[in-house]
Amino acid sequence: MKIAIQHQNYQKKIAASPGNDRRHDIEKIDISGKKDDAVTLEISVEGKKAMHLKDKKDIEQDIVHLDKRAGYLPAYSGMYDVDKAISSSLENCSKEEQEFVYDIIRQNFLIENGSSMTEEERQANISLGMKKAEYAVNDFIAEDHKKSFLDAMESIAKLASAGKMDENGNMDYGVKKGNYLGHGSGLVETTDVLDMMRTMDASAYKEYQRINKESSDSDRQLNTLKYATDWYIHSVDKNPHMVEAYEAKSDGYVEKNVKNRKIDTTFKDLNTESRAAFLESLKAFQSQNPKFYVTIKAR
């Protein structure tokens, strides 16, 4: 199911054209996945301001645009048990269904950059992602995977909610990078050496970045690989428990900052049991928030 928001910008002035205002400028913003029919929502200017919604061109900066033919490729959180639960749940699903789920992780949960979003927008986006996950559970996740899938998606939502943004809008979610081999129930975790270097040895990672930047195109891959390999060998030799410490740091962060995290409830009342129920709950949301939604129509 696709959800789009239409909003109206009043008195939107065009640069270098004094007195030339564009009125009733309507744009559509896709904020959902790729299942079933679309739902178009039109938003009033008052509602847009109240909910801090931005223009389409601004929101799109926060979405990872992937080749549509490869949208089913996994998106991982770095929490192995969580990622494996989702991978296993999608093992027998279609590529379209897999894409729907992984788009939630990419577009609603673990966005790479949030510079064009307020923190309220980012948290509400996570709330919407959880409702889309519930829709997936009711629509195509197998019965024996429903609970583990939803629990896993909730864990990623909590991880996303606790994320921190730097001065450039880049997000840091506090856990090790998810690096795996295989897929589905056969997913196997491996150690990402570069992420371990970044996390455990900041000066070495800075040197790695310098080598990567200053090497010629023909030498870059060899130079960076050699540096990373040498660093790993020497570091593990010096500290045999470095990998365990790297894993423990990530696990400790999850225990402290994620497990008991509360998720935003902006969209908590949406009914996701069926397409019809979902539409009805959107109408109910409209009636409760008259300045937010102007019209709702399916197409």
Side-chain angles (χ1 to χ4, degrees), residues 205-256:
Y205 186 67
K206 185 175 181 180
E207 176 64 11
Y208 173 88
Q209 290 179 306
R210 184 194 67 77
I211 293 172
N212 184 59
K213 181 179 180 180
E214 296 180 1
S215 296
S216 63
D217 291 343
S218 59
D219 295 334
R220 181 172 293 110
Q221 184 173 6
L222 179 61
N223 290 346
T224 54
L225 178 60
K226 183 179 185 303
Y227 180 81
T229 302
D230 288 345
W231 174 85
Y232 179 77
I233 292 173
H234 294 148
S235 297
V236 171
D237 184 58
K238 183 179 179 180
N239 180 9
H241 301 291
M242 184 180 67
V243 175
E244 289 89 338
Y246 168 67
E247 299 284 347
K249 184 176 182 179
S250 181
D251 293 342
Y253 176 86
V254 171
E255 185 70 28
K256 180 180 179 180

Side-chain angles (χ1 to χ4, degrees), residues 90-149:
L90 298 176
E91 195 165 22
N92 297 314
C93 292
S94 69
K95 287 184 177 180
E96 181 187 31
E97 291 165 343
Q98 292 175 33
E99 181 176 3
F100 180 79
V101 170
Y102 289 130
D103 273 353
I104 297 173
I105 298 174
R106 292 185 182 103
Q107 299 179 10
N108 294 99
F109 294 164
L110 304 180
I111 62 172
E112 291 187 354
N113 187 285
S115 58
S116 65
M117 288 178 135
T118 66
E119 182 61 14
E120 290 78 10
E121 286 174 339
R122 194 178 73 81
Q123 296 295 336
N125 194 38
I126 294 169
S127 174
L128 178 61
M130 275 309 300
K131 301 310 293 188
K132 289 161 65 177
E134 289 181 18
Y135 182 84
V137 165
N138 294 319
D139 190 45
F140 58 81
I141 299 297
E143 187 64 37
D144 56 340
H145 286 291
K146 289 183 184 295
K147 185 180 186 305
S148 61
F149 171 81

Side-chain angles (χ1 to χ4, degrees), residues 9-287:
N9 294 323
Y10 295 94
Q11 298 180 341
K12 184 178 181 181
K13 295 186 178 180
I14 302 174
S17 301
N20 186 6
D21 291 348
R22 293 176 61 191
R23 301 175 184 269
H24 308 290
D25 183 19
I26 299 176
E27 297 179 71
K28 296 179 181 179
I29 304 171
D30 185 358
I31 60 171
S32 185
K34 304 183 172 54
K35 290 288 293 180
D36 298 343
D37 297 327
V39 178
T40 300
L41 310 178
E42 293 183 352
I43 182 171
S44 68
V45 65
E46 294 85 1
K48 178 175 180 290
K49 290 179 180 178
M51 298 300 291
H52 308 291
L53 286 174
K54 295 184 179 295
D55 293 340
K56 177 181 179 182
K57 63 181 180 181
D58 293 324
I59 291 178
E60 285 181 340
Q61 294 177 15
D62 300 298
I63 299 175
V64 179
H65 292 282
L66 301 175
D67 185 330
K68 297 301 183 183
R69 293 167 298 178
Y72 59 87
L73 293 177
Y76 295 125
S77 70
M79 299 180 290
Y80 174 62
D81 291 342
V82 167
D83 293 334
K84 186 170 182 178
I86 293 172
S87 182
S88 299
S89 298
L90 298 176
E91 195 165 22
N92 297 314
C93 292
S94 69
K95 287 184 177 180
E96 181 187 31
E97 291 165 343
Q98 292 175 33
E99 181 176 3
F100 180 79
V101 170
Y102 289 130
D103 273 353
I104 297 173
I105 298 174
R106 292 185 182 103
Q107 299 179 10
N108 294 99
F109 294 164
L110 304 180
I111 62 172
E112 291 187 354
N113 187 285
S115 58
S116 65
M117 288 178 135
T118 66
E119 182 61 14
E120 290 78 10
E121 286 174 339
R122 194 178 73 81
Q123 296 295 336
N125 194 38
I126 294 169
S127 174
L128 178 61
M130 275 309 300
K131 301 310 293 188
K132 289 161 65 177
E134 289 181 18
Y135 182 84
V137 165
N138 294 319
D139 190 45
F140 58 81
I141 299 297
E143 187 64 37
D144 56 340
H145 286 291
K146 289 183 184 295
K147 185 180 186 305
S148 61
F149 171 81
L150 199 58
D151 287 347
M153 292 295 279
E154 183 178 13
S155 293
I156 299 181
K158 289 180 178 180
L159 177 69
S161 178
K164 303 298 182 183
M165 188 187 306
D166 68 17
E167 64 275 10
N168 297 314
N170 297 317
M171 295 300 305
D172 182 357
Y173 295 105
V175 295
K176 65 185 184 302
K177 182 178 179 181
N179 206 40
Y180 306 109
L181 297 175
H183 56 86
S185 56
L187 197 69
V188 176
E189 184 176 26
T190 63
T191 299
D192 188 297
V193 173
L194 286 183
D195 190 62
M196 183 164 59
M197 183 194 297
R198 179 188 66 82
T199 304
M200 308 298 288
D201 192 343
S203 61
Y205 186 67
K206 185 175 181 180
E207 176 64 11
Y208 173 88
Q209 290 179 306
R210 184 194 67 77
I211 293 172
N212 184 59
K213 181 179 180 180
E214 296 180 1
S215 296
S216 63
D217 291 343
S218 59
D219 295 334
R220 181 172 293 110
Q221 184 173 6
L222 179 61
N223 290 346
T224 54
L225 178 60
K226 183 179 185 303
Y227 180 81
T229 302
D230 288 345
W231 174 85
Y232 179 77
I233 292 173
H234 294 148
S235 297
V236 171
D237 184 58
K238 183 179 179 180
N239 180 9
H241 301 291
M242 184 180 67
V243 175
E244 289 89 338
Y246 168 67
E247 299 284 347
K249 184 176 182 179
S250 181
D251 293 342
Y253 176 86
V254 171
E255 185 70 28
K256 180 180 179 180
N257 300 287
V258 176
K259 290 189 69 173
N260 297 317
R261 184 83 180 184
K262 301 297 183 182
I263 302 173
D264 181 272
T265 58
T266 299
F267 293 94
K268 67 181 179 66
D269 293 327
L270 296 186
N271 187 333
T272 59
E273 292 181 358
S274 66
R275 177 178 175 276
F278 189 57
L279 287 173
E280 286 302 314
S281 66
L282 282 173
K283 292 177 181 178
F285 187 93
Q286 175 195 27
S287 66

